[in-house]
Coordinates of all heavy atoms in Angstrom, one line a residue:
M365 N 33.5 -15.9 7.1 CA 32.5 -17.1 7.0 C 31.6 -16.9 5.8 O 31.3 -15.8 5.4 CB 31.7 -17.2 8.3 CG 32.5 -17.6 9.5 SD 33.2 -19.3 9.3 CE 31.8 -20.3 9.8
V366 N 31.1 -18.0 5.3 CA 30.2 -18.0 4.2 C 28.8 -17.6 4.7 O 28.4 -18.1 5.7 CB 30.2 -19.4 3.5 CG1 29.3 -19.4 2.3 CG2 31.6 -19.8 3.1
G367 N 28.2 -16.8 3.9 CA 26.8 -16.4 4.2 C 26.7 -15.1 5.0 O 25.6 -14.5 5.1
W368 N 27.7 -14.6 5.5 CA 27.8 -13.4 6.3 C 27.5 -12.1 5.4 O 26.6 -11.4 5.8 CB 29.2 -13.3 6.8 CG 29.6 -12.5 8.0 CD1 30.9 -12.4 8.4 CD2 28.9 -11.6 8.8 NE1 31.0 -11.6 9.5 CE2 29.7 -11.1 9.8 CE3 27.5 -11.3 8.9 CZ2 29.3 -10.2 10.8 CZ3 27.1 -10.4 9.9 CH2 28.0 -9.9 10.8
K369 N 28.2 -12.1 4.3 CA 28.0 -10.9 3.4 C 26.6 -10.9 2.8 O 26.0 -9.9 2.7 CB 29.1 -11.0 2.3 CG 29.2 -9.7 1.6 CD 30.4 -9.7 0.6 CE 30.4 -8.5 -0.3 NZ 30.0 -8.8 -1.7
S370 N 26.2 -12.1 2.4 CA 24.9 -12.2 1.8 C 23.8 -11.9 2.8 O 22.7 -11.3 2.5 CB 24.6 -13.6 1.2 OG 24.6 -14.6 2.3
F371 N 24.0 -12.2 4.1 CA 23.1 -11.8 5.1 C 22.9 -10.3 5.2 O 21.8 -9.8 5.3 CB 23.5 -12.4 6.5 CG 22.7 -12.0 7.7 CD1 21.4 -12.5 7.9 CD2 23.2 -11.0 8.5 CE1 20.7 -12.1 8.9 CE2 22.4 -10.6 9.6 CZ 21.1 -11.1 9.8
I372 N 24.1 -9.6 5.2 CA 24.1 -8.1 5.3 C 23.4 -7.6 4.1 O 22.6 -6.7 4.1 CB 25.5 -7.6 5.4 CG1 26.2 -8.2 6.6 CG2 25.5 -6.1 5.4 CD1 26.6 -7.3 7.8
E373 N 23.7 -8.1 2.9 CA 23.1 -7.7 1.7 C 21.6 -7.8 1.7 O 20.9 -6.9 1.3 CB 23.7 -8.5 0.5 CG 25.0 -7.9 0.0 CD 25.7 -8.7 -1.0 OE1 25.2 -9.8 -1.4 OE2 26.8 -8.3 -1.5
R374 N 21.2 -9.0 2.2 CA 19.7 -9.3 2.3 C 19.1 -8.3 3.2 O 18.0 -7.8 2.9 CB 19.5 -10.7 2.7 CG 18.3 -11.3 2.2 CD 18.1 -12.8 2.5 NE 19.2 -13.6 2.1 CZ 19.7 -14.7 2.7 NH1 19.1 -15.1 3.8 NH2 20.7 -15.4 2.2
L375 N 19.7 -8.0 4.3 CA 19.2 -7.0 5.3 C 19.0 -5.6 4.7 O 18.0 -5.0 4.9 CB 20.2 -7.0 6.5 CG 19.6 -6.6 7.8 CD1 18.7 -7.8 8.3 CD2 20.7 -6.3 8.8
I376 N 20.0 -5.2 3.9 CA 20.0 -3.9 3.2 C 18.9 -3.9 2.2 O 18.1 -3.0 2.1 CB 21.4 -3.6 2.6 CG1 22.4 -3.4 3.7 CG2 21.3 -2.4 1.7 CD1 23.9 -3.4 3.2
I377 N 18.8 -5.0 1.4 CA 17.7 -5.0 0.4 C 16.4 -5.0 1.0 O 15.5 -4.3 0.6 CB 17.9 -6.3 -0.5 CG1 19.2 -6.1 -1.4 CG2 16.7 -6.5 -1.4 CD1 19.7 -7.4 -2.0
M378 N 16.2 -5.8 2.1 CA 14.9 -5.9 2.8 C 14.5 -4.5 3.4 O 13.3 -4.1 3.2 CB 15.0 -6.9 4.0 CG 15.0 -8.3 3.5 SD 13.5 -8.9 2.8 CE 12.6 -9.4 4.3
S379 N 15.4 -3.8 4.0 CA 15.1 -2.5 4.5 C 14.8 -1.5 3.4 O 14.0 -0.6 3.6 CB 16.2 -2.0 5.4 OG 17.4 -1.9 4.8
F380 N 15.5 -1.7 2.3 CA 15.2 -0.8 1.2 C 13.8 -1.0 0.6 O 13.1 -0.1 0.3 CB 16.3 -1.0 0.1 CG 16.0 -0.2 -1.2 CD1 16.2 1.2 -1.2 CD2 15.5 -0.8 -2.3 CE1 16.0 1.9 -2.4 CE2 15.2 -0.1 -3.4 CZ 15.4 1.3 -3.5
I381 N 13.5 -2.3 0.5 CA 12.2 -2.6 0.0 C 11.1 -2.1 0.9 O 10.1 -1.5 0.5 CB 12.0 -4.2 -0.2 CG1 12.9 -4.6 -1.4 CG2 10.6 -4.6 -0.5 CD1 13.1 -6.1 -1.5
D382 N 11.3 -2.3 2.2 CA 10.4 -1.8 3.2 C 10.2 -0.3 3.1 O 9.1 0.2 3.1 CB 10.9 -2.2 4.6 CG 9.9 -1.9 5.7 OD1 8.8 -2.4 5.6 OD2 10.3 -1.2 6.7
Y383 N 11.3 0.4 2.9 CA 11.3 1.9 2.8 C 10.6 2.3 1.5 O 9.7 3.2 1.5 CB 12.8 2.4 2.8 CG 12.9 3.9 2.4 CD1 12.6 4.8 3.3 CD2 13.4 4.2 1.2 CE1 12.7 6.2 3.0 CE2 13.5 5.6 0.8 CZ 13.2 6.6 1.7 OH 13.3 7.9 1.4
A384 N 10.9 1.6 0.4 CA 10.2 1.9 -0.9 C 8.7 1.7 -0.8 O 7.9 2.4 -1.3 CB 10.9 1.1 -2.0
M385 N 8.3 0.6 -0.1 CA 6.9 0.2 0.0 C 6.2 1.3 0.8 O 5.1 1.7 0.5 CB 6.8 -1.1 0.7 CG 7.2 -2.3 -0.1 SD 6.0 -2.7 -1.5 CE 4.9 -3.7 -0.6
K386 N 6.8 1.8 1.9 CA 6.2 2.8 2.8 C 6.1 4.1 2.0 O 5.1 4.8 2.1 CB 7.1 3.0 4.0 CG 6.7 2.2 5.2 CD 7.6 2.5 6.4 CE 7.5 1.3 7.4 NZ 8.7 1.3 8.2
L387 N 7.1 4.4 1.2 CA 7.1 5.6 0.4 C 6.0 5.6 -0.6 O 5.3 6.5 -0.8 CB 8.5 5.7 -0.3 CG 8.9 7.1 -0.7 CD1 9.3 8.0 0.5 CD2 10.1 7.1 -1.7
M388 N 5.9 4.4 -1.3 CA 4.9 4.2 -2.3 C 3.5 4.3 -1.7 O 2.6 4.9 -2.3 CB 5.1 2.9 -3.0 CG 6.0 3.1 -4.3 SD 6.6 1.6 -5.0 CE 5.4 0.4 -4.8
S389 N 3.3 3.6 -0.6 CA 1.9 3.6 0.0 C 1.5 4.9 0.5 O 0.3 5.3 0.4 CB 1.9 2.5 1.1 OG 2.7 2.9 2.1
S390 N 2.5 5.7 1.0 CA 2.1 7.0 1.5 C 1.9 8.0 0.4 O 1.1 8.9 0.5 CB 3.2 7.6 2.4 OG 4.4 7.8 1.7
A391 N 2.6 7.8 -0.7 CA 2.4 8.7 -1.9 C 1.2 8.4 -2.7 O 0.7 9.3 -3.4 CB 3.7 8.6 -2.7
S392 N 0.7 7.1 -2.6 CA -0.4 6.8 -3.5 C -1.7 6.5 -2.8 O -2.3 5.5 -3.1 CB 0.0 5.6 -4.4 OG 0.3 4.5 -3.5
T393 N -2.0 7.3 -1.8 CA -3.3 7.2 -1.2 C -4.1 8.4 -1.4 O -3.6 9.5 -1.6 CB -3.2 6.9 0.4 OG1 -2.4 8.0 0.9 CG2 -2.5 5.6 0.7
T394 N -5.4 8.2 -1.4 CA -6.3 9.3 -1.7 C -7.6 9.1 -0.8 O -7.9 8.0 -0.4 CB -6.7 9.3 -3.2 OG1 -7.4 10.5 -3.4 CG2 -7.5 8.1 -3.7
T395 N -8.3 10.1 -0.6 CA -9.5 10.1 0.2 C -10.7 9.9 -0.8 O -10.9 10.6 -1.7 CB -9.7 11.4 1.0 OG1 -8.5 11.6 1.7 CG2 -10.9 11.3 1.9
V396 N -11.5 8.8 -0.5 CA -12.7 8.5 -1.3 C -13.9 8.6 -0.4 O -13.8 8.3 0.8 CB -12.6 7.2 -2.0 CG1 -11.5 7.2 -3.1 CG2 -12.3 6.0 -1.0
T397 N -15.0 9.0 -1.0 CA -16.2 9.1 -0.3 C -17.1 7.9 -0.7 O -17.3 7.6 -1.8 CB -16.9 10.4 -0.6 OG1 -16.0 11.5 -0.4 CG2 -18.1 10.7 0.3
C398 N -17.6 7.3 0.3 CA -18.5 6.1 0.1 C -19.8 6.6 -0.5 O -20.5 7.6 -0.1 CB -18.8 5.5 1.5 SG -20.1 4.2 1.4
P399 N -20.2 6.0 -1.6 CA -21.5 6.4 -2.3 C -22.7 6.0 -1.5 O -23.8 6.5 -1.8 CB -21.4 5.7 -3.7 CG -20.5 4.5 -3.4 CD -19.6 4.8 -2.3
V400 N -22.6 5.1 -0.6 CA -23.7 4.6 0.2 C -24.0 5.5 1.4 O -25.1 6.0 1.6 CB -23.5 3.1 0.6 CG1 -24.8 2.6 1.4 CG2 -23.3 2.2 -0.6
C401 N -23.0 5.7 2.3 CA -23.2 6.5 3.5 C -22.5 7.8 3.6 O -22.7 8.6 4.4 CB -22.9 5.6 4.7 SG -21.1 5.3 4.9
G402 N -21.6 8.0 2.6 CA -20.9 9.3 2.6 C -19.7 9.4 3.5 O -19.1 10.5 3.6
V403 N -19.3 8.3 4.1 CA -18.1 8.3 5.0 C -16.8 8.4 4.1 O -16.7 7.7 3.1 CB -18.1 7.1 5.9 CG1 -16.7 6.9 6.5 CG2 -19.1 7.3 7.0
R404 N -15.9 9.2 4.5 CA -14.7 9.4 3.7 C -13.6 8.5 4.3 O -13.5 8.4 5.5 CB -14.2 10.8 3.8 CG -15.2 11.8 3.2 CD -14.7 13.2 3.2 NE -14.1 13.6 2.0 CZ -13.2 14.6 1.9 NH1 -12.8 15.2 3.0 NH2 -12.7 14.9 0.7
S405 N -12.9 7.8 3.5 CA -11.8 6.9 3.9 C -10.6 7.0 3.0 O -10.7 7.4 1.8 CB -12.3 5.5 4.0 OG -12.8 5.1 2.7
I406 N -9.5 6.6 3.5 CA -8.2 6.7 2.8 C -8.0 5.4 2.1 O -8.0 4.3 2.7 CB -7.0 7.1 3.7 CG1 -7.2 8.6 4.1 CG2 -5.7 6.9 2.9 CD1 -6.4 8.9 5.3
Q407 N -7.9 5.4 0.8 CA -7.7 4.2 0.0 C -6.5 4.4 -0.9 O -6.1 5.5 -1.2 CB -8.9 3.9 -0.9 CG -10.2 3.8 -0.1 CD -10.3 2.5 0.7 OE1 -9.6 1.6 0.5 NE2 -11.3 2.5 1.6
S408 N -5.9 3.3 -1.4 CA -4.8 3.4 -2.3 C -5.2 3.8 -3.7 O -6.3 3.2 -4.2 CB -3.9 2.2 -2.3 OG -4.6 1.1 -2.9
T409 N -4.5 4.6 -4.4 CA -4.9 5.0 -5.7 C -4.8 3.9 -6.7 O -5.4 3.8 -7.7 CB -4.0 6.2 -6.2 OG1 -2.7 5.9 -6.0 CG2 -4.4 7.5 -5.5
S410 N -3.9 2.9 -6.4 CA -3.7 1.7 -7.3 C -5.0 0.9 -7.4 O -5.3 0.4 -8.4 CB -2.5 0.9 -6.9 OG -2.7 0.4 -5.6
K411 N -5.7 0.9 -6.2 CA -7.0 0.1 -6.2 C -8.0 0.8 -7.1 O -8.7 0.1 -7.8 CB -7.5 0.1 -4.8 CG -7.2 -1.1 -4.0 CD -8.0 -1.1 -2.7 CE -7.6 -2.3 -1.9 NZ -8.4 -2.4 -0.6
I412 N -8.0 2.1 -7.1 CA -8.9 2.9 -7.9 C -8.6 2.7 -9.3 O -9.5 2.5 -10.2 CB -9.0 4.4 -7.4 CG1 -9.5 4.5 -6.0 CG2 -9.8 5.2 -8.4 CD1 -9.1 5.8 -5.3
R413 N -7.3 2.8 -9.6 CA -6.8 2.7 -11.0 C -7.2 1.3 -11.6 O -7.5 1.2 -12.7 CB -5.3 2.9 -11.0 CG -4.8 3.6 -12.3 CD -3.3 3.8 -12.2 NE -2.9 4.6 -11.1 CZ -1.9 4.2 -10.3 NH1 -1.2 3.1 -10.5 NH2 -1.5 5.0 -9.3
L414 N -7.1 0.3 -10.7 CA -7.4 -1.1 -11.2 C -8.9 -1.5 -11.1 O -9.3 -2.6 -11.3 CB -6.5 -2.1 -10.4 CG -5.0 -2.0 -10.6 CD1 -4.3 -2.8 -9.6 CD2 -4.6 -2.4 -12.0
N415 N -9.7 -0.5 -10.7 CA -11.1 -0.7 -10.5 C -11.4 -1.8 -9.4 O -12.4 -2.6 -9.6 CB -11.8 -1.0 -11.8 CG -12.2 0.2 -12.6 OD1 -12.6 1.3 -12.0 ND2 -12.1 0.2 -13.9
Q416 N -10.6 -1.9 -8.4 CA -10.8 -2.9 -7.4 C -11.8 -2.3 -6.4 O -11.8 -1.1 -6.0 CB -9.5 -3.2 -6.7 CG -8.6 -4.1 -7.5 CD -7.3 -4.4 -6.8 OE1 -6.9 -3.8 -5.8 NE2 -6.6 -5.5 -7.2
A417 N -12.7 -3.2 -5.9 CA -13.6 -2.8 -4.9 C -13.0 -2.6 -3.5 O -12.0 -3.2 -3.2 CB -14.7 -3.9 -4.7
M418 N -13.4 -1.5 -2.8 CA -12.9 -1.3 -1.5 C -14.1 -1.3 -0.5 O -15.2 -1.1 -0.8 CB -12.2 0.1 -1.5 CG -12.9 1.2 -2.2 SD -11.7 2.5 -2.6 CE -11.2 2.0 -4.2
I419 N -13.7 -1.5 0.8 CA -14.7 -1.6 1.8 C -14.8 -0.3 2.6 O -13.8 0.2 3.0 CB -14.4 -2.8 2.8 CG1 -14.4 -4.1 2.0 CG2 -15.4 -2.8 3.9 CD1 -13.7 -5.3 2.8
C420 N -16.0 0.2 2.7 CA -16.3 1.4 3.5 C -16.1 1.1 4.9 O -16.7 0.1 5.4 CB -17.7 1.9 3.1 SG -18.2 3.2 4.2
P421 N -15.4 1.9 5.7 CA -15.2 1.7 7.1 C -16.5 2.0 7.9 O -16.7 1.6 9.0 CB -14.1 2.6 7.5 CG -14.1 3.7 6.5 CD -14.6 3.1 5.2
G422 N -17.4 2.8 7.3 CA -18.6 3.2 8.0 C -19.7 2.2 7.9 O -20.2 1.7 8.9
C423 N -20.1 1.8 6.7 CA -21.2 0.9 6.5 C -20.8 -0.5 6.0 O -21.6 -1.3 5.8 CB -22.2 1.5 5.5 SG -21.6 1.7 3.9
K424 N -19.5 -0.7 5.8 CA -18.9 -2.0 5.4 C -19.4 -2.5 4.0 O -19.4 -3.6 3.7 CB -19.2 -3.1 6.4 CG -18.8 -2.7 7.9 CD -17.3 -2.9 8.1 CE -17.0 -2.6 9.5 NZ -16.1 -1.4 9.7
S425 N -19.9 -1.5 3.2 CA -20.3 -1.9 1.9 C -19.1 -1.8 0.9 O -18.2 -1.0 1.1 CB -21.4 -1.0 1.4 OG -21.0 0.3 1.2
L426 N -19.2 -2.7 -0.1 CA -18.1 -2.7 -1.1 C -18.5 -1.7 -2.2 O -19.7 -1.7 -2.7 CB -18.0 -4.1 -1.7 CG -17.2 -5.1 -0.9 CD1 -17.5 -6.6 -1.4 CD2 -15.7 -4.9 -1.0
F427 N -17.6 -1.0 -2.6 CA -17.8 0.0 -3.7 C -16.6 0.2 -4.6 O -15.5 0.0 -4.1 CB -18.4 1.3 -3.2 CG -17.4 2.1 -2.4 CD1 -16.6 3.1 -3.0 CD2 -17.3 1.9 -1.0 CE1 -15.8 3.8 -2.2 CE2 -16.4 2.6 -0.2 CZ -15.6 3.6 -0.8
V428 N -16.8 0.6 -5.8 CA -15.7 1.0 -6.7 C -15.7 2.5 -6.8 O -16.7 3.1 -7.2 CB -15.8 0.3 -8.0 CG1 -14.7 0.7 -9.0 CG2 -15.7 -1.3 -7.8
A429 N -14.6 3.1 -6.5 CA -14.5 4.6 -6.5 C -14.4 5.0 -8.0 O -13.7 4.3 -8.8 CB -13.3 5.1 -5.8
P430 N -15.0 6.1 -8.3 CA -14.9 6.6 -9.7 C -13.5 7.2 -9.9 O -12.8 7.6 -9.0 CB -15.9 7.7 -9.8 CG -16.1 8.2 -8.4 CD -15.9 7.0 -7.5
H431 N -13.0 7.2 -11.1 CA -11.6 7.7 -11.4 C -11.5 9.2 -11.3 O -12.4 9.9 -11.6 CB -11.2 7.3 -12.8 CG -10.9 5.8 -13.0 ND1 -9.7 5.3 -13.2 CD2 -11.7 4.8 -12.8 CE1 -9.8 4.0 -13.2 NE2 -11.0 3.6 -13.0
Ligands
ZN1731 ZN1 -20.3 3.6 3.6

């Protein structure tokens, strides 16, 4: 039947992407310390690299981690 093979292919690609995303997210996290309250939290290194603001889980303040 038409679409059968593409369905399997899509399933394989989807699971591969999911695996790759998990691998990347686990590999690219780091612990940052909040400059306001000092609470340590796990953030992605890509956020730090791109100078994106992150939210502190302790005091909910936005801060940009130093490189
Ligand atoms: Zn804080």
Side-chain angles (χ1 to χ4, degrees):
M365 289 299 275
V366 180
W368 198 183
K369 197 173 170 251
S370 65
F371 173 75
I372 303 246
E373 276 172 358
R374 212 174 301 151
L375 209 71
I376 292 165
I377 291 162
M378 288 291 274
S379 60
F380 174 75
I381 289 167
D382 189 54
Y383 171 75
M385 290 287 276
K386 268 182 199 154
L387 204 74
M388 267 168 32
S389 64
S390 66
S392 62
T393 54
T394 187
T395 307
V396 291
T397 307
C398 172
V400 182
C401 68
V403 163
R404 301 179 95 207
S405 58
I406 292 162
Q407 306 286 347
S408 67
T409 48
S410 60
K411 266 191 180 182
I412 296 163
R413 216 178 302 130
L414 297 166
N415 276 324
Q416 285 182 341
M418 46 199 90
I419 298 166
C420 168
C423 64
K424 307 282 184 247
S425 66
L426 282 165
F427 66 93
V428 176
H431 287 247

